[in-house]
Amino acid sequence: MSRLFSVFVAFIASFLLIGSAHAEVKVLTSIKPLQLIATAVQDGVAIPEVLLPPGASPHNYALRPSDVRKVQSVDLLYWIGPDMEGFLPRVLNGRTLPSVAVQDLPGMKLRRFAEDSHSHAEDADEHDHDHRPGSLDAHLWLSPINARVIAAKMAADLSAADPANAARYQSNLKAFDERLDALDLRLKKRLAGIEGKPYFVFHEAFDYFEDAYGLKHTGVFSVAAEVQPGAQHVAAMRARLQEVGKTCVFSEPPLRPRLAETLVAGLPVKLAELDALGGYTPATAQGYEQVMEKLGNDLAGCLESL
C-alpha cells in the first residue's frame, strides 16, 4: 500500500510540475494595436488582454479600480510610453512585474512633431492635443519597422517567461515578419496612385504611416471634438480648403469634430475617417495587418473618389 501511495504521490507531483511549466503567461497591453501585435506572437498559445476599451483615447483615459488591479497583476505589460498614455506612470510605479515602454526599445524609428505641426488656420494658436513642436510623436505603431521591433521584444520576453512555448513564439514572430513583408508590398501598390494628392486631418496621428508610404497631409485642423471654434477660425480653415480645391478631410472614430459639416459645406471636399487604433478589430494573428490595410484603403478610397 505504501508503495502504491508513493507512486500516486509522485504522479501527482509530476502532474503539478507539468501544469506549472505550462501555466499561461498573462499579457496586458495598453492599446489595441499593441494587443494585435502581441496576439500575432502568442497565436495558438494565449490571447493577450487590452486595457483601453474601443473608442477610448489613450491621451486622457481614466483608469477604473478594476483596471488598476489588472495592471498590477499581469505577468507582462506593454505600453507606448508617457508621451502617449500619460495616465499610466503613476500606476506603474507600484508594479513589481515587468513593464515595457516600447518607445524606449532599441531599434525603434521615432519621429518628433515638426515646427509646423499645428493647425493652418491663422488664428488657431492651440496645438493638436499636446503635440508640441519637438515632442515625441507616439503614434509609433503605424510604422511597420516599429511593429517588427515590438514583436521581436514580445517574442523574447515570452520565450524567457514560458520556455515550453519558446519555439512557437519564435515561429509566430517569423510568420508575422513574413506577413508584414507582403503587407508592405500591397500597401505600396495601393497607395502609389495618391502620392502628392492634398488632404487634411483633424488629428496629427498618421505621420509614421505617411513616412512609410511616401505621403504627407496638407494641413491639420487641430480643434477639439467637443468644442465649436469661433467664426474667424472656421473662416480661416474654409479659406484653406477653398485654396486647395478637391480634397478629403479625415477625422478619427468614434468622434467627428462638431464643425466638420460646417467646415466643408458647399466645397468640393469629402469627410472621411482614418482609424489609427483599430479599436474594434478582432484580436487575431492578422489583426495588425488588418488595421494597416484598412488605413491605406480608407485613405486611398476617399482621395480616388474625388
Side-chain angles (χ1 to χ4, degrees), residues 4-178:
L4 287 175
F5 180 76
S6 299
V7 171
F8 176 75
V9 170
F11 172 78
I12 293 298
S14 64
F15 177 80
L16 292 174
L17 285 172
I18 292 171
S20 63
H22 290 274
E24 180 181 314
V25 178
K26 294 187 180 299
V27 174
L28 176 67
T29 70
S30 58
I31 59 174
K32 188 69 167 192
L34 293 180
Q35 183 200 26
L36 297 176
I37 296 172
T39 302
V41 176
Q42 286 193 287
D43 185 37
V45 179
I47 298 178
E49 294 187 83
V50 62
L51 190 60
L52 268 66
S57 170
H59 293 291
N60 51 25
Y61 183 65
L63 287 167
R64 301 166 298 181
S66 59
D67 294 329
V68 175
R69 290 193 294 271
K70 189 178 295 185
V71 166
Q72 298 294 355
S73 64
V74 294
D75 300 306
L76 294 170
L77 185 145
Y78 297 91
W79 60 309
I80 299 297
D83 292 272
M84 175 62 71
E85 307 97 328
F87 61 88
L88 264 182
R90 181 178 59 83
V91 180
L92 292 178
N93 283 338
R95 179 176 159 80
T96 58
L97 295 165
S99 302
V100 178
V102 299
Q103 70 179 44
D104 297 329
L105 293 178
M108 295 292 284
K109 304 297 182 183
L110 301 179
R111 299 178 57 88
R112 295 190 176 272
F113 291 109
E115 290 298 323
D116 63 349
S117 63
H118 55 277
S119 172
H120 284 269
E122 293 177 0
D123 64 332
D125 59 2
E126 79 280 12
H127 288 288
D128 180 21
H129 287 288
D130 200 24
H131 299 173
R132 297 180 303 276
S135 64
L136 177 70
D137 182 351
H139 307 86
L140 50 81
W141 65 87
L142 292 177
S143 162
I145 292 174
N146 289 340
R148 293 178 193 271
V149 174
I150 295 168
K153 172 60 174 172
M154 290 175 170
D157 291 346
L158 285 162
S159 296
D162 180 18
N165 287 306
R168 181 62 179 264
Y169 298 134
Q170 295 303 320
S171 175
N172 286 344
L173 175 64
K174 184 174 183 292
F176 182 63
D177 282 337
E178 291 172 351

Side-chain angles (χ1 to χ4, degrees), residues 141-148 175-193 195 208-215 286 288-294 296-297:
W141 65 87
L142 292 177
S143 162
I145 292 174
N146 289 340
R148 293 178 193 271
F176 182 63
D177 282 337
E178 291 172 351
R179 292 199 305 274
L180 287 190
D181 288 339
L183 170 70
D184 190 55
L185 292 175
R186 292 197 304 274
L187 284 173
K188 285 177 178 176
K189 182 178 180 180
R190 180 74 178 94
L191 298 169
E195 289 183 18
Y208 285 95
F209 186 87
E210 293 171 338
D211 184 61
Y213 296 105
L215 306 173
Q286 293 78 32
Y288 175 80
E289 299 101 277
Q290 291 170 4
V291 170
M292 295 287 282
E293 195 140 31
K294 186 176 189 303
N297 285 335

